[in-house]
Amino acid sequence: MTIDNTRQYSFAKATYYDAYVRIQFDSDLKEVLLEQAQLLLKDIAAYYGSQKIVIISQRGLETNLDPEILKILNLSKVEGLAIVSPDAEERRKILIKEQSLFEGSFAYFETYEAAREWALTF
């Protein structure tokens, strides 16, 4: 059973399911700002409460997230983080830096379907 509850932001769309949230950043977004990341996590925390979840972050090749943001965010309820991005090989160095700053399970995928299957293993 899935809960299909979607919230639209000016920069992304978040869809909430039972055990994971899918965040689809707008394709023309160049950078995810700290304020945007904090807003998403606040809403995720309000939706899931104390439940541990997996975040699937779907970003276009041009969308960047400063890995240092991960140090500032409260990710205590996040047990897994999946990054979905085309041409993941090109972004490998950036994603490895992100991975080093996240304490939970971390993976990157080229398709949402692969990330979803991974998220459902938790």
Side-chain angles (χ1 to χ4, degrees), residues 91-118:
R91 301 190 79 180
R92 191 168 294 273
K93 287 181 185 175
I94 295 166
L95 296 175
I96 287 171
K97 174 125 173 113
E98 283 184 37
Q99 184 176 17
S100 71
L101 298 172
F102 180 69
E103 293 185 16
S105 294
F106 185 102
Y108 35 90
F109 303 92
E110 290 192 25
T111 67
Y112 163 70
E113 291 74 22
R116 179 184 173 279
E117 290 302 316
W118 180 79

Side-chain angles (χ1 to χ4, degrees), residues 61-108:
L61 198 54
E62 300 297 315
T63 306
N64 292 307
L65 172 95
D66 181 350
E68 295 298 312
I69 287 178
L70 294 176
K71 287 182 178 178
I72 299 166
L73 298 174
N74 179 5
L75 299 172
S76 61
K77 300 288 186 235
V78 180
E79 63 182 342
L81 178 60
I83 307 299
V84 178
S85 180
D87 302 313
E89 293 300 320
E90 289 180 29
R91 301 190 79 180
R92 191 168 294 273
K93 287 181 185 175
I94 295 166
L95 296 175
I96 287 171
K97 174 125 173 113
E98 283 184 37
Q99 184 176 17
S100 71
L101 298 172
F102 180 69
E103 293 185 16
S105 294
F106 185 102
Y108 35 90

Side-chain angles (χ1 to χ4, degrees), residues 48-68:
Y48 290 104
S50 62
Q51 177 184 342
K52 290 213 176 245
I53 53 109
V54 174
I55 294 176
I56 298 176
S57 175
Q58 207 165 337
R59 298 184 234 156
L61 198 54
E62 300 297 315
T63 306
N64 292 307
L65 172 95
D66 181 350
E68 295 298 312

Side-chain angles (χ1 to χ4, degrees), residues 29-47:
L29 183 68
K30 295 293 182 203
E31 182 175 4
V32 179
L33 303 174
L34 175 61
E35 297 79 27
Q36 295 167 329
Q38 288 174 322
L39 175 61
L40 286 167
L41 284 178
K42 180 176 92 41
D43 290 349
I44 289 168
Y47 188 87

Side-chain angles (χ1 to χ4, degrees), residues 3-17 21-26 38-47:
I3 300 167
D4 186 7
N5 188 7
T6 301
R7 176 143 188 214
Q8 188 68 49
Y9 299 87
S10 62
F11 56 91
K13 177 173 82 170
T15 306
Y16 299 90
Y17 297 92
V21 59
R22 177 185 187 185
I23 301 169
Q24 296 169 272
F25 289 98
D26 293 348
Q38 288 174 322
L39 175 61
L40 286 167
L41 284 178
K42 180 176 92 41
D43 290 349
I44 289 168
Y47 188 87

